[in-house]
């Protein structure tokens, strides 16, 4: 069997390094064509020495220069490039079969579209790309003949719980139920929520992840983005998507069928499981994850989000349904606003609870309009970022 040639967009991040861990377990199956990162030169140098890609793309120009020098000093003949065009090229090159999309934020949309249009097997961790790309993204997948496989653990769980034939989903499935751990502040007093620090917000109880998704998990905006992601991926309207809190993160999500039968996917909270599934689908390979130990699992608990305290604590979650019921452009606005607000919180410019203030005001502050192409989406994204930045500045004063 010929080896699957892979580009990993965002290889220096949490999903990127987990992907390389799975790839390293199966040298007979996979070969790395390209790695990309923003500015972590030393980690990229180590990845280059281990995986010997043909091309590396560093978003930051200084990082690209420094990496080039270090590779030369180590005698490693690897092409180093920079810029968005280079990202699009390594995502769509004829030398590549599979693209792991693990850049964080809307910055990953361009190369995702390039991979989709080139008909690649596209492993999607970068949920923001789909939230922003919406129908334009899904249309690129269809017209390019790409195979889109979800890597987000919830969406991988749903994909594993659905029938093989997507044409049957609408008819057979009543609803999909996304599980949410509730993050680090699930039981914190509401009055204390205001003053939590970025360090506390990034300390997730079950998963080790990048900073942005960790803050999103604490506000539940991660689940809001996942509701939108699920709606686009599985073609279901917002009223057929539900969220339930499940603090142990053992059930990764569920599908409820018309006859009320519920199919769930379970496993230890380890992203290598959905990554290995995406890489090997429809086969199964070793992921390196530990098996669940049912003898040690006395508690699997669930909490409703209609609970009065949770409604306040996780107010951002409702914005997903609001955005999905508006024109497509509303999900772009919500994502852009959240990226600006999370960065401002991480820079200690706004408080934790003010992330929601910015997002909810931005959603009503940007006039709705329906995007028809990528340019329209990017224009809404720019407009929403400007409005959100103004809202942050107003809070700072
Ligand atoms: P991370 O911050 O750890 O890594 C992000 C990667 O993207 C890094 O390699 C970084 O160098 C690169 N990058 C950042 N900004 C960039 C830019 N402007 N241009 C090019 N490259 C850039 O993030 P992560 O936790 O690995 O998450 C990546 C994506 O996967 C996110 O969309 C996240 O929501 C999703 N996801 C992550 C997890 C998880 O467990 N970490 C789970 C599900 C989904
Ligand atoms: Mg998830």
């Amino acid at each position: 069997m010929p080896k699957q040639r892979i580009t990993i967009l965002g290889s220096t991040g949490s999903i990127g390094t987990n992907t390389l861990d799975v790839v390293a377990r199966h040298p007979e199956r996979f070969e790395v064509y390209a790695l990309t990162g923003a500015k972590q030169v030393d980690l990229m140098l180590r990845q280059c020495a281990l995986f010997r890609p043909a091309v590396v793309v560093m978003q930051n120009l200084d990082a690209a220069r420094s990496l080039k020098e270090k590779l030369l000093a180590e005698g490693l003949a690897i092409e180093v490039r920079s810029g968005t065009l280079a990202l699009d090229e390594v995502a769509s090159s004829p030398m590549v079969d599979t693209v792991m999309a693990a850049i964080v934020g809307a910055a990953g949309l361009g190369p995702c579209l390039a991979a989709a249009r080139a008909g690649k097997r596209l492993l999607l961790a970068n949920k923001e790309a789909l939230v922003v790309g919406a129908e334009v993204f899904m249309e690129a997948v269809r017209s390019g003949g790409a195979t889109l496989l979800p890597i987000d653990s919830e969406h991988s769980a749903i994909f594993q719980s659905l029938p093989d034939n997507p044409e049957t989903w609408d008819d057979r499935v009543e609803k999909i139920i996304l599980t949410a751990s509730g993050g680090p502040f699930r039981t914190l007093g509401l009055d204390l929520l205001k003053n939590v620090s970025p360090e506390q917000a990034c300390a997730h109880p079950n998963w080790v992840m990048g900073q942005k998704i960790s803050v999103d998990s604490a506000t539940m905006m991660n689940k809001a983005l996942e509701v939108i992601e699920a709606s686009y991926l599985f073609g279901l309207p917002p009223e057929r998507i539900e969220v339930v809190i499940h603090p142990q993160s053992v059930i990764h999500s569920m599908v409820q069928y018309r006859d009320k039968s519920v199919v769930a996917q379970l496993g230890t909270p380890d992203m290598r499981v959905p990554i290995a599934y995406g890489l090997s689908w429809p086969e199964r390979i070793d992921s390196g994850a530990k098996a669940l130990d049912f003898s040690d699992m006395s508690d699997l608990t669930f909490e409703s989000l209609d609970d009065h305290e949770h409604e306040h604590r996780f107010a951002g979650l409702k914005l997903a349904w609001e955005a999905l019921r508006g024109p497509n452009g509303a999900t772009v606005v919500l994502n852009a606003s959240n990226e600006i607000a999370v960065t401002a919180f991480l820079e200690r410019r706004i408080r934790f609870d003010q992330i929601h203030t910015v997002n909810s005001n931005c959603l009503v502050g940007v006039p709705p309009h329906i995007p028809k192409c990528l340019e329209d989406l990017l224009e809404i994204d720019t407009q929403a970022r400007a409005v959100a930045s103004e809202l942050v500045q107003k809070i700072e004063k």
Side-chain angles (χ1 to χ4, degrees), residues 243-265:
V243 175
V244 65
I245 293 186
H246 167 47
Q248 296 80 19
S249 300
V250 168
I251 297 178
H252 296 308
S253 279
M254 308 176 252
V255 173
Q256 181 174 307
Y257 286 88
R258 297 273 178 214
D259 56 5
K260 305 294 183 287
S261 170
V262 176
V263 179
Q265 185 262 350

Side-chain angles (χ1 to χ4, degrees), residues 9 57 81-93 110-111 114:
L9 304 166
V57 183
R81 303 185 57 188
S82 192
T84 49
L85 195 65
L87 281 182
D88 291 358
E89 279 173 13
V90 295
S92 57
S93 160

Side-chain angles (χ1 to χ4, degrees), residues 127 151-155 179 207 209 213 222-223 226 229 271:
K127 66 193 86 185
I151 297 301
D152 220 339
S153 56
E154 296 76 2
H155 305 72
T179 51
W207 303 91
M209 310 179 284
I213 185 174
N222 180 50
K223 213 49 58 179
E226 289 181 357
E229 182 187 10
M271 284 309 292

